[in-house]
């Protein structure tokens, strides 16, 4: 039942995108997201679409997996679109009934906003789908290393992140097991009012907390037994090293950003109101 | 009280990269009062199989009948089924949550809608059945030793007075003494109450000593199903799938090969010893 949750899920496959250095994927995802939000023309979005299609094809992740991530933001998406559609007052009026007015600008902004949000989710899920959580934290740690100079404990933060990520599936599985065990003892988790349902969570939450603490304790012991004492002087078994494909990826993404920007600026492609 | 599975298939996360065919066309029937052992490797589908028995997991295809009634039929009383078929999970002590042992054991009967007095009566009865010392009834379940925690957790299921008791690896993580204790207690329960017991294990020795019938699972399929001796006579096939018959089976077969005319059907050390002594006492006289 609880296995269905897919936030930050990794999709195992062997593709160029999977093999890229995590730093490349993080930086490029950021660049892509920025390019989406500075974009304000149809031609720019056409190029962004082509670029996304290209990356999705290269990643070998089935399209429906990527779309799954969109389910989570469907409410936010509808809210944004509706708000932009009805609350933008500038521009020529397209439609007017009772207290609602839809203007050309409103329609334009809400469509672009929807595209931005959808591409934002697709772009970032592509990153998490093709990068293992461990590689991702490695990448973040390496990218944030300059902050060490300002006494930010980058290694510790990255370690906390990777442990947290590592424990999500374990705790989900544990929750599933405890839920089943209590249901087998006749626990009723679905019916009743708010208070009854909250009360029904106690037999699940108490064992879950106990087990989370037990696991944390075991992990701390295991780490100490292997002489873990923070990031100082620690080396990596597989240090991140840029390879040729990583530079190529940077070049492609930068080329895309420049192309999208130039196209938006000099060939905005006007069709109707867009 | 029979449980009947017909062509049950179960597929995990169908349609994703993690898809797994956990049960393949499993059909079997567990008769009232039987003491059945289910053995198989990790990932052979035995835990998935038993979660079907009380409807916790719904089969992808196939049917399950409890006392002749299809449990997947519309309006079937699932909650009723779950109090009839008590399922004790692996490491059941991880489900303890109440402030003291007695109220934790009361959780099951309370969910059945029984009065407070009745709950407590059943809880005390169940704790007694598993041999839990009365002076610890009001201790926090988190302060108990591993073996005692497990007894308390098993009592939590027994307090619902199930007709069928299903135990998933009840001895995992216990020392040999604790293991024998728990299994002896389970046998005592079976003999005393006539309850149907299904014992899941990967230890052939444990299973051989206690059960009357063995179901062997391999890669989601039912591989063998029969009386203990009959199943262990297939010890060569068991070996091929990474399981092993009890060590005495090997000893007896070796002895026979080397000319001692013993019967090879013994499955426990005691039986084997008796058989070897019998043959030795009667000299070299062969029965065949």
């Amino acid at each position: 039942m609880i296995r269905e949750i897919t936030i930050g899920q990794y999709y195992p496959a062997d593709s160029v995108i999977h093999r890229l250095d995590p730093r490349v994927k993080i930086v490029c995802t950021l660049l892509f997201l920025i390019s989406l939000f500075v974009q304000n023309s149809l031609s720019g979005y056409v190029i962004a679409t082509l670029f996304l299609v290209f990356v999705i094809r290269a990643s070998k992740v089935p399209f429906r997996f990527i779309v799954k991530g969109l389910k989570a933001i469907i409410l936010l998406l509808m809210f944004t679109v509706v708000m932009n559609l009805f609350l933008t007052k500038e521009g020529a009026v397209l439609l007017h009934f009772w207290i609602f007015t839809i203007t050309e600008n409103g329609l334009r902004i809400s469509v672009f906003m929807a595209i931005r949000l959808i591409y934002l989710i697709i772009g970032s899920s592509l990153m998490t789908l093709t990068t293992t959580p461990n590689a991702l934290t490695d990448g973040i740690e390496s990218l944030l290393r300059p902050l060490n100079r300002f006494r930010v404990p980058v290694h510790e933060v990255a370690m906390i992140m990777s442990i947290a990520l590592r424990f999500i599936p374990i705790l989900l599985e544990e929750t599933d097991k405890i839920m089943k065990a209590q249901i087998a003892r006749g626990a009723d988790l679905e019916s009743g009012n708010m208070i009854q349902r909250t009360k029904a969570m106690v037999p699940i939450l108490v064992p879950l907390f106990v087990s989370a603490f037990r696991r944390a304790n075991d992990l701390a012991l295991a780490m100490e037994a292997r002489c873990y004492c923070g990031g100082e002087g620690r080396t990596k078994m597989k240090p991140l090293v840029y390879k040729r494909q990583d530079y190529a990826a940077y070049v492609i993404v930068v080329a895309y950003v420049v192309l999208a920007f130039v196209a938006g600026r000099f060939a905005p492609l006007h069709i109707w109101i867009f | 009280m029979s449980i009947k599975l017909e062509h049950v298939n179960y597929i995990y996360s169908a349609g994703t990269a993690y898809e797994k065919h956990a049960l393949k066309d499993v059909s079997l029937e567990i008769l009232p009062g039987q003491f059945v052992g289910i053995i198989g490797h990790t990932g052979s589908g035995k835990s998935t199989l038993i979660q079907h028995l009380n409807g916790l997991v719904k089969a992808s295809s196939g049917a399950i009948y409890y006392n002749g009634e299809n449990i997947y039929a519309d309006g079937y009383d699932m909650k009723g089924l779950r109090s009839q078929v008590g399922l004790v999970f692996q490491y059941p002590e991880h489900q303890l949550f109440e402030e003291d042992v007695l109220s934790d054991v009361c959780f099951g009967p309370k969910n059945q809608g029984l009065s407070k007095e009745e709950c407590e009566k059943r809880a005390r009865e169940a704790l007694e059945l598993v041999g839990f010392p009365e002076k610890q009834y009001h201790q926090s379940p988190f302060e108990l030793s591993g073996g005692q925690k497990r007894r308390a957790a098993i009592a939590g299921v027994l307090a619902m007075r199930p007709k069928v008791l299903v135990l998933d690896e009840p001895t995992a993580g216990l020392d040999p003494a604790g293991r024998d204790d728990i299994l002896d207690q389970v046998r005592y329960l079976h003999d005393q109450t006539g309850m149907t017991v299904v014992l899941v294990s990967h230890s052939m020795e444990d299973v051989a000593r206690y059960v009357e019938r063995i179901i062997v699972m391999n890669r989601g399929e039912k591989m063998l199903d029969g009386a203990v001796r009959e199943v262990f006579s297939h010890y060569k096939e068991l070996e091929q799938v990474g399981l092993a018959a009890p060590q005495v089976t090997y000893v007896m077969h070796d002895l026979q090969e080397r000319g001692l005319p013993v019967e090879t059907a013994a499955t426990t050390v005691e039986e084997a010893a008796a058989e070897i002594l019998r043959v030795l006492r009667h000299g070299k006289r062969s029965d065949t």
Side-chain angles (χ1 to χ4, degrees):
Chain A
M1 42 191 113
I2 214 154
R3 269 169 221 274
E4 311 291 316
I5 298 174
T6 56
I7 302 163
Q9 208 188 34
Y10 174 67
Y11 183 89
D14 183 32
S15 77
V16 192
I17 310 284
H18 282 79
R19 282 192 300 267
L20 284 179
D21 188 296
R23 289 172 293 181
V24 178
K25 283 186 265 191
I26 296 169
V27 172
C28 290
T29 308
L30 278 177
L31 281 176
F32 176 71
L33 299 188
I34 294 168
S35 85
L36 279 180
F37 279 83
V38 298
Q39 199 50 255
N40 209 4
S41 72
L42 198 55
S43 58
Y45 287 117
V46 170
I47 293 171
T49 311
L50 292 176
F51 177 70
L52 256 188
V53 169
F54 163 73
V55 178
I56 291 172
R57 293 298 292 275
S59 73
K60 292 187 186 163
V61 179
F63 189 64
R64 70 199 150 76
F65 253 87
I66 299 165
V67 180
K68 245 194 213 167
L70 287 175
K71 266 191 216 154
I73 61 142
I74 224 151
L75 262 182
L76 177 74
L77 191 68
M78 283 179 9
F79 183 76
T80 321
V81 168
V82 170
M83 281 302 173
N84 276 309
L85 197 57
F86 292 115
L87 294 181
T88 314
K89 298 290 178 215
E90 299 86 34
V93 173
L94 281 175
L95 241 164
H96 184 88
F97 57 95
W98 193 34
I99 51 166
F100 300 107
T101 23
I102 295 177
T103 63
E104 276 183 4
N105 269 4
L107 186 60
R108 186 186 151 90
I109 291 172
S110 56
V111 169
F112 281 173
M113 211 53 195
I115 295 177
R116 278 176 192 164
L117 279 176
I118 292 171
Y119 285 11
L120 176 131
I121 295 295
I122 293 181
S124 37
S125 356
L126 259 178
M127 177 178 75
T128 51
L129 282 166
T130 58
T131 322
T132 61
N134 276 340
L136 211 56
T137 40
D138 267 3
I140 292 172
E141 184 183 354
S142 159
L143 286 171
L144 294 182
R145 191 156 300 144
L147 290 181
N148 256 337
R149 222 172 275 173
F150 306 106
R151 307 200 164 228
V152 179
V154 174
H155 170 80
E156 278 69 20
V157 171
M159 182 58 90
I160 291 169
M161 274 177 61
S162 59
I163 290 174
L165 284 172
R166 178 69 192 83
F167 269 65
I168 290 173
I170 292 180
L171 287 180
L172 281 179
E173 204 173 293
E174 188 94 19
T175 315
D176 193 52
K177 221 190 96 180
I178 295 170
M179 275 169 82
K180 276 183 179 162
Q182 305 298 29
I183 292 173
R185 291 169 80 192
D188 188 355
L189 306 174
E190 268 130 29
S191 55
N193 59 29
M194 270 288 273
I195 298 169
Q196 284 166 324
R197 278 161 85 166
T198 317
K199 264 192 171 164
M201 293 306 286
V202 173
I204 292 168
L205 289 179
V206 173
L208 190 63
F209 271 106
V210 171
S211 105
F213 280 112
R214 190 182 54 238
R215 282 178 193 282
N217 206 11
D218 289 353
L219 182 70
L221 270 175
M223 285 169 84
E224 269 194 349
R226 295 177 211 179
C227 304
Y228 178 80
C229 53
E232 214 157 305
R234 199 173 159 78
T235 54
K236 283 202 185 305
M237 187 166 141
K238 290 178 189 159
L240 294 175
V241 181
Y242 281 125
K243 292 193 210 82
R244 191 185 284 163
Q245 59 188 24
D246 299 313
Y247 293 115
Y250 272 134
V251 171
I252 292 172
V253 172
V254 170
Y256 149 74
V257 172
V258 171
L259 185 68
F261 183 76
V262 170
R265 183 51 61 92
F266 301 105
L269 195 71
H270 286 294
I271 299 171
W272 189 37
I273 54 167
F274 295 107
Chain B
M1 261 47 86
S2 81
I3 304 177
K4 195 170 174 191
L5 275 69
E6 277 179 0
H7 306 289
V8 168
N9 278 284
Y10 184 69
I11 301 164
Y12 271 114
S13 322
T16 71
Y18 304 98
E19 182 173 308
K20 193 174 171 244
H21 206 149
L23 288 182
K24 288 175 205 155
D25 197 33
V26 176
S27 300
L28 54 90
E29 184 168 12
I30 293 167
L31 297 169
Q34 270 191 334
F35 198 152
V36 185
I38 299 181
I39 51 177
H41 249 285
T42 324
S44 61
K46 50 192 194 322
S47 291
T48 313
L49 174 67
I50 58 164
Q51 287 179 26
H52 280 81
L53 300 182
N54 69 349
L56 271 179
V57 172
K58 190 173 184 304
S60 307
S61 70
I64 297 174
Y65 299 93
Y66 181 73
N67 285 343
E69 277 182 85
N70 187 341
I71 68 165
Y72 297 138
D74 280 337
Y76 185 82
D77 178 17
M78 241 354 155
K79 219 173 157 179
L81 173 71
R82 282 173 194 150
S83 61
Q84 302 264 305
V85 182
L87 179 54
V88 179
F89 274 81
Q90 214 176 110
Y91 296 105
E93 59 273 26
H94 292 177
Q95 77 197 21
L96 298 170
F97 68 98
E98 275 285 9
E99 282 168 45
D100 63 85
V101 174
L102 194 64
S103 26
D104 202 286
V105 178
C106 282
F107 181 66
K110 209 170 77 193
N111 288 327
Q112 288 174 304
L114 299 169
S115 71
K116 204 170 171 245
E117 292 75 37
E118 182 66 18
C119 286
E120 207 174 301
K121 192 179 140 234
R122 290 195 178 192
R124 285 179 182 276
E125 211 177 84
L127 283 165
E128 207 171 304
L129 269 175
V130 296
F132 190 90
E134 195 174 349
K135 61 180 194 304
Q136 289 183 308
Y137 281 9
H138 292 287
Q139 264 188 25
S140 160
F142 300 107
E143 289 167 359
L144 304 172
S145 70
Q148 297 300 54
K149 272 187 194 169
R150 192 155 298 181
R151 277 168 204 270
I154 294 174
V157 173
L158 282 177
M160 299 172 77
R161 290 204 187 148
K163 301 275 190 298
V164 181
L165 182 67
V166 185
L167 300 130
D168 191 356
E169 302 263 6
T171 58
L174 292 183
D175 55 40
R179 185 191 68 201
D180 290 350
D181 260 11
I182 292 274
L183 290 177
D184 284 341
Q185 207 81 48
V186 171
R187 175 153 63 187
Y188 171 78
L189 265 173
H190 174 252
D191 296 347
Q192 283 291 306
T193 61
M195 199 185 275
T196 313
V197 178
V198 178
L199 180 73
V200 176
S201 178
H202 58 247
S203 159
M204 289 291 183
E205 255 88 13
D206 283 359
V207 168
R209 222 146 28 106
Y210 293 93
V211 307
E212 55 194 72
R213 170 183 166 200
I214 295 182
I215 296 168
V216 182
M217 296 295 295
N218 182 41
R219 297 177 185 218
E221 283 174 87
K222 188 175 88 173
M223 189 179 131
L224 294 167
D225 182 358
V228 175
R229 283 155 191 253
E230 188 194 322
V231 168
F232 286 143
S233 68
H234 295 272
Y235 72 107
K236 289 261 159 65
E237 288 159 57
L238 287 174
E239 232 170 72
Q240 270 166 13
V241 299
L243 293 165
Q247 282 172 348
V248 290
T249 307
Y250 291 91
V251 173
M252 298 308 263
H253 277 273
D254 278 0
L255 285 174
Q256 198 188 40
E257 256 172 50
R258 294 180 192 200
L260 195 69
V262 288
E263 291 274 332
T264 54
T267 53
T268 64
V269 178
E270 291 77 18
E271 277 173 35
E275 172 64 15
I276 294 170
L277 283 175
R278 184 186 69 79
V279 172
L280 289 178
R281 280 205 188 114
H282 290 268
K284 291 273 177 191
R285 185 176 61 85
S286 161
D287 289 336
T288 49

